[in-house]
Amino acid sequence: MDASVVLDPVDLHLLRLLQNDARTTYRDLAARVGVAPSTCLDRVARLRRSGVILGHRLRLDPAKLGRGLQALLSVQVRPHRRELVGPFVERVRALPEARTVFHLTGPDDYLVHVAVADMADLQRLVLDEFTSRREVARVETRLIFQQWECGPLLPPGHAES
Amino acid sequence: MDASVVLDPVDLHLLRLLQNDARTTYRDLAARVGVAPSTCLDRVARLRRSGVILGHRLRLDPAKLGRGLQALLSVQVRPHRRELVGPFVERVRALPEARTVFHLTGPDDYLVHVAVADMADLQRLVLDEFTSRREVARVETRLIFQQWECGPLLPPGHAES
DNA sequence: CTTGAAAGACACATCCG
DNA sequence: CGGATGTGTCTTTCAAG
């Protein structure tokens, strides 16, 4: 299911272009990669079918949406058993403030990336949704000064922008 | 520049639909929101101009690209001064394994989300690109068991999927 | 697997309420 | 600001190489 997929240079070129702008037309893709538009369509469809491309996401500015403050919450869930952590994750994912949830190795079981309006909002979120829960043993809050997205994700050995 | 923007229910509805599938046509958007296609075009163009929509991103499966192992690296950069941390961040961002870099409050200055092929690859990355650097005082590596993307990012008070 | 042409769908501008 | 109409462009299909 998550086996690696064979990607030829055309696929890689398409992925690199689409990661810069996922709305590039098949016509432009074709011109830049050097194949026919219909071939592009076929290749991209195949990449979607094989699961390499999971979907197209809109990148939004949290600050413009009234969520100018972001933070990472390290959460210990005790006891760390399936019947507790399953509902915990689902509840956290459903929070409108949550962006990503990581299940990690190490003493802090979960890392939750949240976007809130301000400090008061963050305090409310931590108190009401985390520390007040019985299964949450400990929460550590770190504010995000700044964050950078990195270059396009590509297979090892093709480390070019 | 990052002031909050006024969004009416139509804008919110459009954003919600586009976050599920950013390639939805204006025609379909119009039908589902209940306005004319040209209005959709106008609204989305305005959302782009006002900076709410930053761009369109492809969501890829790291495992399918031969990067089945992900980790978070907590990095202390000492001394934590501009002339050191600027180049540090740029160098890390340029790594093909890096996905996101966070500058945080707290004892760990940076959190780096990386995607690698396997444990050997991760070990090489940590040793060659982090701990061997003079400005890197400490690196703590946590593996990612699993990660969940959360619901669409929307302004406070509109917490609906 | 790729291509090129044909048909249909769409984006976008313009005009109008 | 929202809705209709038109034109040029793009996407998508298909038969053929």
Side-chain angles (χ1 to χ4, degrees):
Chain A
M1 190 57 194
D2 60 349
S4 201
V5 173
V6 181
L7 299 172
D8 71 9
V10 173
D11 292 318
L12 293 174
H13 201 165
L14 289 172
L15 287 176
R16 224 176 295 133
L17 292 171
L18 284 171
Q19 279 183 91
N20 288 338
D21 180 6
R23 265 187 9 159
T24 311
T25 64
Y26 292 110
R27 191 176 160 278
D28 286 352
L29 288 176
R32 299 178 71 173
V33 174
V35 296
S38 49
T39 304
C40 281
L41 185 74
D42 199 50
R43 291 300 192 104
V44 174
R46 202 182 316 164
L47 289 169
R48 291 184 133 270
R49 247 181 291 115
S50 65
V52 174
I53 296 176
L54 292 172
H56 292 252
R57 269 240 158 142
L58 221 51
R59 270 190 344 114
L60 300 180
D61 185 345
K64 289 277 170 53
L65 291 166
R67 295 175 176 277
L69 183 62
Q70 294 187 248
L72 294 175
L73 310 181
S74 295
V75 183
Q76 278 188 4
V77 176
R78 290 296 135 83
H80 195 176
R81 292 200 317 259
R82 273 198 187 276
E83 57 267 33
L84 275 176
V85 301
F88 168 79
V89 169
E90 285 314 311
R91 202 174 48 74
V92 171
R93 288 185 65 186
L95 294 174
E97 293 87 358
R99 301 197 66 183
T100 317
V101 179
F102 296 94
H103 184 196
L104 302 176
T105 62
D108 293 320
D109 306 316
Y110 292 93
L111 190 79
V112 185
H113 180 189
V114 298
V116 294
D118 50 31
M119 275 294 176
D121 198 22
L122 181 60
Q123 185 182 35
R124 176 198 57 75
L125 182 72
V126 171
L127 291 176
D128 291 354
E129 300 294 343
F130 290 89
T131 57
S132 67
R133 292 272 160 176
R134 205 180 323 158
E135 72 269 26
V136 174
R138 184 174 150 271
V139 177
E140 188 183 312
T141 304
R142 284 171 293 172
L143 303 182
I144 297 173
F145 284 132
Q146 191 174 1
Q147 88 181 252
W148 299 267
E149 301 290 325
C150 303
L153 186 68
L154 284 179
H158 300 275
E160 180 211 345
S161 174
Chain B
M1 191 57 194
D2 60 351
S4 202
V5 173
V6 181
L7 299 172
D8 70 9
V10 173
D11 293 318
L12 293 173
H13 202 165
L14 289 172
L15 287 176
R16 225 176 296 133
L17 292 172
L18 283 171
Q19 280 184 89
N20 289 336
D21 179 7
R23 269 185 8 162
T24 311
T25 65
Y26 295 110
R27 207 164 151 275
D28 287 351
L29 287 176
R32 298 179 70 174
V33 175
V35 297
S38 54
T39 304
C40 279
L41 188 74
D42 198 50
R43 292 303 192 101
V44 175
R46 200 183 316 163
L47 288 170
R48 291 185 131 268
R49 246 182 292 115
S50 64
V52 174
I53 296 176
L54 294 172
H56 292 251
R57 265 237 159 148
L58 220 51
R59 274 193 337 118
L60 300 181
D61 184 344
K64 289 277 168 55
L65 291 166
R67 294 176 176 275
L69 182 62
Q70 293 187 249
L72 294 175
L73 310 180
S74 294
V75 183
Q76 278 189 4
V77 176
R78 290 296 134 80
H80 195 176
R81 293 201 315 259
R82 274 198 187 274
E83 57 268 33
L84 275 176
V85 301
F88 168 79
V89 169
E90 286 313 311
R91 203 173 47 73
V92 171
R93 288 185 66 186
L95 294 174
E97 293 86 359
R99 302 197 64 183
T100 317
V101 179
F102 297 95
H103 184 197
L104 300 176
T105 63
D108 293 320
D109 308 315
Y110 292 93
L111 190 79
V112 185
H113 180 189
V114 299
V116 294
D118 49 33
M119 275 293 175
D121 198 22
L122 180 60
Q123 186 182 34
R124 176 197 58 74
L125 183 72
V126 171
L127 291 175
D128 292 355
E129 301 293 344
F130 290 89
T131 57
S132 66
R133 292 272 160 178
R134 206 180 323 156
E135 73 269 25
V136 174
R138 184 174 149 272
V139 177
E140 188 183 313
T141 303
R142 283 171 294 173
L143 304 182
I144 298 173
F145 284 132
Q146 192 174 359
Q147 118 186 43
W148 299 265
E149 300 290 325
C150 302
L153 186 68
L154 284 179
H158 300 275
E160 181 212 344
S161 176

